[in-house]
Amino acid sequence: MRAEAHFHSPQSQSYFDRLIRHFAHKIQVSREDTRAQLVFSCGVVDLHVSDQRLTFLAQSEKAGDLSETCAILTDHMRRFAWREDKPDLSWHDFG
């Protein structure tokens, strides 16, 4: 199962860096330039940052795990991007 979300902001690079630093202390994180992968027990999230856009691609074996994975990222983006107009992520399932 997979879901995707996008976050648009001039601060996208900063949020990308902050997410990686934050989660690197807790879970397996790999990064290469503008891409990163976060490995949670409930699923895997691929991140990509470009200009003013941060893209999240979450993957899990089960629907419940996918929901949990998406909720983790949504919660963290709310906390990190609280100054933004709309810090919530809108997830779209696609398989």
Side-chain angles (χ1 to χ4, degrees):
M1 311 215 57
R2 299 186 301 175
E4 184 175 52
H6 302 279
F7 187 81
H8 300 273
S9 169
Q11 302 300 320
S12 291
Q13 182 68 52
S14 175
Y15 296 133
F16 176 80
D17 294 335
R18 191 167 179 194
L19 284 167
I20 292 166
R21 278 193 314 270
H22 174 77
F23 284 116
H25 298 285
K26 303 170 189 239
I27 61 169
Q28 179 184 336
V29 174
S30 59
R31 177 183 183 169
E32 190 172 312
D33 298 321
T34 60
R35 296 189 179 276
Q37 186 174 74
L38 312 174
V39 181
F40 297 95
S41 61
C42 53
V44 175
V45 178
D46 291 309
L47 301 174
H48 178 252
V49 66
S50 60
D51 294 332
Q52 296 187 11
R53 179 173 159 162
L54 184 54
T55 301
F56 300 82
L57 176 60
Q59 301 178 65
S60 295
E61 292 293 320
K62 301 175 189 170
D65 288 344
L66 181 61
S67 293
E68 183 180 351
T69 303
C70 295
I72 291 168
L73 271 298
T74 299
D75 178 62
H76 280 77
M77 282 304 296
R78 275 188 200 133
R79 287 191 267 152
F80 293 163
W82 61 271
R83 288 186 180 103
E84 298 282 341
D85 239 359
K86 297 178 182 177
D88 286 339
L89 296 177
S90 178
W91 292 91
H92 305 281
D93 292 343
F94 64 95

